[in-house]
Amino acid sequence: MVITVNSDTNRQEIDKMLLSLKPRKQFRSDMFLGKIKWGEDGLEYQKRIRNE
């Protein structure tokens, strides 16, 4: 969201606008932990890719 502040906007109005902002919904990465099954070990994959 964008708040437009003019030069004639006082501090109290700015504070009201800032308090009216809704917080962003946070991304919960823990929902995806362990969901992808890789066919090989991560370290072995890195070594194989870097040697190409």
Side-chain angles (χ1 to χ4, degrees):
M1 180 176 178
V2 176
I3 296 177
T4 305
V5 179
N6 299 326
S7 61
D8 61 339
T9 307
N10 62 18
R11 179 68 180 183
Q12 292 168 344
E13 291 177 10
I14 295 172
D15 288 338
K16 281 184 198 176
M17 286 188 246
L18 290 174
L19 290 174
S20 69
L21 290 176
K22 295 180 181 176
R24 286 183 137 182
K25 186 176 180 182
Q26 292 184 351
F27 177 72
R28 291 189 48 217
S29 61
D30 60 338
M31 295 177 7
F32 302 102
L33 183 62
K35 300 293 182 185
I36 299 176
K37 303 295 181 195
W38 300 102
E40 62 185 312
D41 181 49
L43 186 58
E44 293 299 321
Y45 173 77
Q46 283 183 6
K47 287 179 182 179
R48 183 173 53 85
I49 293 298
R50 290 178 181 172
N51 286 332
E52 290 181 350

